[in-house]
Every structure is written in C-alpha cells, then in structure tokens.
C-alpha cells in the first residue's frame, strides 16, 4: 500500500521577488510610508495588513494632528521585502465604507526603532500635544 507524500510541517513563504531598481534609488531603504488611511484606523489593523508579508518587522501609526490625518510606517528586514510589499499593497482599497485607498511609497529614511522584547511590534505615535487642562471635571 502506497503512503501519501510527506509534507513539511511548516509553510515557508517564498522569498520576495527581485526587482531591478537602478543604483541609488533608495536601495538601502527598508521602511514604507503609508498614507490614505481612514481617521479611525487602529494600530492592530496596520499590523495585520503587513504581518504576513515576507520580511516584515514592525509598524508605527502616526497621528499628525493636521485634519485628523493618519499615516503609518512599516519596517522590513531588507529593501527587497519592502519593495515586494509596496507593489502588492499600493492602491488597495483599505476601507470599503469610507473608500480609503492605500498610497504606499518608500520612506525618506529608515525607521530608527529599538526592538523591545516581549512587546508587540507596532507603535502608536501622537505628534500633537494633547491638552488636558481645558477638560472640565
């Protein structure tokens, strides 16, 4: 009696495709800048968007304070992984209710992030100071 073929117990994602970008066009950048997000986006949603992409390391959600504009940064292990994620997610409709479409590009520089063991790999950043003095008790 023939036995079924043995399969590896873990699925390994294929390596990201190699894209031919000219030298000097951001080859050292492994961080993506994500805009076009709805105002009520949660950090976990951004993490879930990128977590299955090969080479994903961490993400940050940033509230800019300008008309409730929200942007995100996603950091990858290398430039090729970042480019693969950029090509697969750029232009994707993120929220069908609001019609928000993702606009993804390479960041100007890599994120400077300290890896904290035991913490989730997403951060929430506020760039506008919150004023609690004006709240009435």
């Amino acid at each position: 009696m023939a036995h079924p073929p043995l399969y590896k117990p873990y699925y390994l994602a294929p390596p990201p495709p190699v894209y031919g970008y000219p030298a000097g066009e951001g080859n050292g950048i492994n961080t993506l800048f994500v805009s076009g997000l709805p105002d009520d986006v949660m950090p976990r949603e951004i993490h879930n968007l990128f977590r299955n992409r090969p080479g994903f390391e961490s993400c940050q959600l940033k509230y800019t304070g300008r008309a409730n504009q929200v942007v995100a940064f996603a950091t990858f292990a290398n430039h090729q992984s970042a480019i693969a994620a950029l090509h697969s997610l750029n232009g994707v409709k993120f929220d069908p209710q609001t019609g928000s479409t993702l606009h993804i590009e390479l960041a100007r520089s890599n994120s400077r992030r300290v890896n904290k063991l035991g913490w989730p790999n997403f951060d929430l950043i506020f760039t506008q100071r919150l004023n609690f003095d004006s709240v009435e008790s």
Side-chain angles (χ1 to χ4, degrees):
M1 176 183 253
H3 294 287
L6 297 176
Y7 295 100
K8 292 183 179 181
Y10 300 102
Y11 172 76
L12 299 175
V18 177
Y19 295 100
Y21 281 88
E25 193 176 311
N27 285 340
I29 304 295
N30 57 1
T31 301
L32 297 179
F33 173 78
V34 183
S35 61
L37 297 167
D39 299 342
D40 60 349
V41 67
M42 301 297 290
R44 192 71 165 152
E45 293 175 297
I46 301 302
H47 178 262
N48 288 339
L49 180 68
F50 288 104
R51 73 178 182 177
N52 291 328
R53 305 288 170 199
F56 172 71
E57 290 182 345
S58 65
C59 62
Q60 295 177 340
L61 188 62
K62 183 176 177 181
Y63 291 91
T64 63
R66 285 182 273 153
N68 294 329
Q69 184 181 7
V70 182
V71 296
F73 295 92
T75 304
F76 290 83
N78 56 44
H79 180 71
Q80 295 301 326
S81 297
I83 293 296
L86 183 149
H87 286 293
S88 65
L89 293 173
N90 192 26
V92 168
K93 187 173 278 194
F94 184 77
D95 187 356
Q97 291 178 340
T98 62
S100 298
T101 302
L102 296 178
H103 303 286
I104 303 176
E105 57 190 61
L106 285 174
R108 292 182 189 154
S109 63
N110 287 321
S111 295
R112 291 172 290 280
R113 178 171 166 28
V114 177
N115 192 5
K116 300 175 272 189
L117 295 176
W119 290 89
N121 54 352
F122 58 85
D123 290 328
L124 180 62
I125 299 172
F126 290 95
T127 57
Q128 182 181 21
R129 282 189 98 186
L130 299 176
N131 187 0
F132 292 106
D133 295 335
S134 63
V135 177
E136 295 179 20
S137 327

